[in-house]
Amino acid sequence: MHRLLLLGCLWLLAAPPASSIFQRPTGTPAPLRLQYLLEPLHPTVHTQRGATATLPCVLRALPHNYRVKWSKVEPANYRENIIIITNGLYHKNYGPLSPRVRLRHSHRYDASLTITNVALEDEGRYRCQLVNGLEDESISLTLHLEGVVFPYQPSNGRYRFNYHEAKRACEQQDSRLATYQQLYKAWTEGLDWCNAGWILDGTVHYPIINSREPCGGRLLLPGVRTYGARDKQKDRFDAFCFTSALQGQVYFIRGHLNFKEAGQACRNHGAAIAKVGQLYSAWKFSQLDRCDGGWLADGSVRYPITTPRERCGGLPDPGVRSFGFPSKEMRTYGTYCFVG
């Protein structure tokens, strides 16, 4: 008994700090080769909102008295939240993912995790851990949602959101605050925006393709510029939101409508006035292309262009163009509606 306690203490003393679990310092020995878990062929699983995705975790042998624990590392706070635990015969689900997760269990060695009706917040890093006394081992996988990042600011101008307001604003527009990886990918695909905005981990950035004086100067190289972590209560910026595929359709109703009439026109068709994230999603995934400005749920007027042309704003790149937030009494525009 004393010997076991001593071994346990020695193991704790030799264990790496939490920060090195996922990143091994240069020059340290390679981790032990997996004995029971198979390395996944593809550590990143690509999916879209509303789909069913499976994260693979397969055992090559079944040790005695083992458990498999699935958990998710939350990008906003880096906490690891348990999703499901199984001993091969029984399992228990935990947390908000509980109603939408199950073990695939296509054979006795299969502990893969299946997520149904994938949501925006499901994107991130997952861990499948074999718990087997001193022989614990784990693999990490990433669930990646195909989507689009868009900058967002309210009707009263730029730099109005603290972190919590930015998070809520994205959610109100059928999206969520983007992760750094999502913002970086959007930059590589051409996102060029001079206003700084919050992202999910509480840091502030802005992506620049074309260096220019109002955006840090011409001498700075293109890239995702950063302000680092800011005070989530006091500091105020715009937001970078992320959305994925729609479970529904966005369409345009032509007319000369004020904002109230626009909402009613959608309801007359059994639909709702579209949100900003829904319009971006329809532009990205359904190639919605219209030269007509239309009201959206936040009171802004926008239109989606997939094939740039001179008469539709004249800009050379595809995108969702904006007329800003005109007076809601104006009868100049049609409306974009969403039906699920």
Side-chain angles (χ1 to χ4, degrees), residues 64-118:
H64 293 293
N65 301 320
Y66 77 96
R67 288 178 298 151
V68 170
K69 179 175 72 174
W70 275 99
S71 55
K72 183 176 187 286
V73 180
E74 297 299 337
N77 52 28
Y78 300 103
R79 290 181 181 174
E80 198 163 315
N81 295 328
I82 296 174
I83 300 170
I84 196 168
I85 296 177
T86 180
N87 63 0
L89 295 175
Y90 306 100
H91 68 273
K92 185 173 182 180
N93 294 15
Y94 298 86
L97 266 173
S98 180
R100 296 189 290 112
V101 295
R102 57 180 170 81
L103 295 169
R104 183 174 64 180
H105 208 61
S106 58
H107 51 79
R108 63 196 293 250
Y109 299 100
D110 185 15
S112 302
L113 183 73
T114 295
I115 305 173
T116 60
N117 194 22
V118 170

Side-chain angles (χ1 to χ4, degrees), residues 191-212:
L191 181 60
D192 182 279
W193 196 254
C194 203
N195 293 346
W198 294 101
I199 64 172
L200 188 59
D201 64 2
T203 56
V204 174
H205 309 267
Y206 63 103
I208 294 297
I209 298 288
N210 303 305
S211 298
R212 49 203 187 273

Side-chain angles (χ1 to χ4, degrees), residues 3-314:
R3 185 180 179 188
L4 286 174
L5 287 172
L6 178 60
L7 285 171
C9 293
L10 289 172
W11 181 83
L12 285 171
L13 287 170
S19 61
S20 65
I21 291 175
F22 296 107
Q23 185 174 1
R24 180 164 48 91
T26 306
T28 59
L32 294 175
R33 189 165 176 264
L34 293 174
Q35 181 180 355
Y36 294 105
L37 296 177
L38 292 174
E39 283 281 2
L41 288 175
H42 304 288
T44 299
V45 174
H46 296 266
T47 189
Q48 292 180 355
R49 178 168 55 176
T52 296
T54 298
L55 299 167
C57 184
V58 178
L59 285 71
R60 57 161 57 94
L62 300 177
H64 293 293
N65 301 320
Y66 77 96
R67 288 178 298 151
V68 170
K69 179 175 72 174
W70 275 99
S71 55
K72 183 176 187 286
V73 180
E74 297 299 337
N77 52 28
Y78 300 103
R79 290 181 181 174
E80 198 163 315
N81 295 328
I82 296 174
I83 300 170
I84 196 168
I85 296 177
T86 180
N87 63 0
L89 295 175
Y90 306 100
H91 68 273
K92 185 173 182 180
N93 294 15
Y94 298 86
L97 266 173
S98 180
R100 296 189 290 112
V101 295
R102 57 180 170 81
L103 295 169
R104 183 174 64 180
H105 208 61
S106 58
H107 51 79
R108 63 196 293 250
Y109 299 100
D110 185 15
S112 302
L113 183 73
T114 295
I115 305 173
T116 60
N117 194 22
V118 170
L120 295 177
E121 60 268 20
D122 296 343
E123 172 155 306
R125 190 149 48 97
Y126 291 76
R127 189 157 75 112
C128 177
Q129 180 182 15
L130 176 75
V131 181
N132 183 35
L134 294 179
E135 297 178 334
D136 293 359
E137 54 190 51
S138 66
I139 57 172
S140 289
L141 301 108
T142 299
L143 185 66
H144 172 76
L145 267 70
E146 301 295 339
V148 56
V149 171
F150 60 94
Y152 188 74
Q153 57 185 222
S155 59
N156 56 347
R158 71 173 196 160
Y159 293 176
R160 300 289 180 170
F161 294 135
N162 66 24
Y163 172 82
H164 305 287
E165 292 164 344
K167 185 173 182 291
R168 187 162 54 250
C170 288
E171 291 166 355
Q172 289 170 346
Q173 296 307 314
D174 193 52
S175 59
R176 73 189 297 241
L177 278 176
T179 65
Y180 181 81
Q181 290 78 10
Q182 290 164 345
L183 181 62
Y184 185 89
K185 183 174 184 291
W187 169 71
T188 66
E189 295 171 349
L191 181 60
D192 182 279
W193 196 254
C194 203
N195 293 346
W198 294 101
I199 64 172
L200 188 59
D201 64 2
T203 56
V204 174
H205 309 267
Y206 63 103
I208 294 297
I209 298 288
N210 303 305
S211 298
R212 49 203 187 273
E213 286 305 327
C215 305
R218 297 181 184 275
L219 298 180
L220 284 179
L221 293 174
V224 178
R225 312 264 174 82
T226 180
Y227 287 7
R230 311 297 289 193
D231 189 306
K232 291 182 178 181
Q233 293 286 356
K234 296 178 181 178
D235 289 327
R236 295 188 173 270
F237 298 94
D238 291 345
F240 286 105
C241 306
F242 171 83
T243 192
S244 185
L246 280 176
Q247 292 179 285
Q249 179 187 9
V250 173
Y251 62 92
F252 181 74
I253 294 180
R254 189 183 299 275
H256 298 281
L257 309 169
N258 63 31
F259 177 71
K260 185 176 179 180
E261 292 166 343
Q264 187 60 52
C266 292
R267 290 191 292 274
N268 291 344
H269 286 75
I273 188 168
K275 299 177 179 180
V276 177
Q278 291 167 341
L279 185 66
Y280 269 94
S281 180
W283 165 75
K284 175 76 173 181
F285 292 98
S286 302
Q287 288 73 56
L288 184 62
D289 184 288
R290 286 207 66 105
C291 210
D292 305 282
W295 291 103
L296 295 176
D298 65 341
S300 65
V301 173
R302 306 173 196 250
Y303 62 101
I305 295 296
T306 56
T307 305
R309 45 209 187 271
E310 194 64 35
R311 285 184 152 186
C312 296

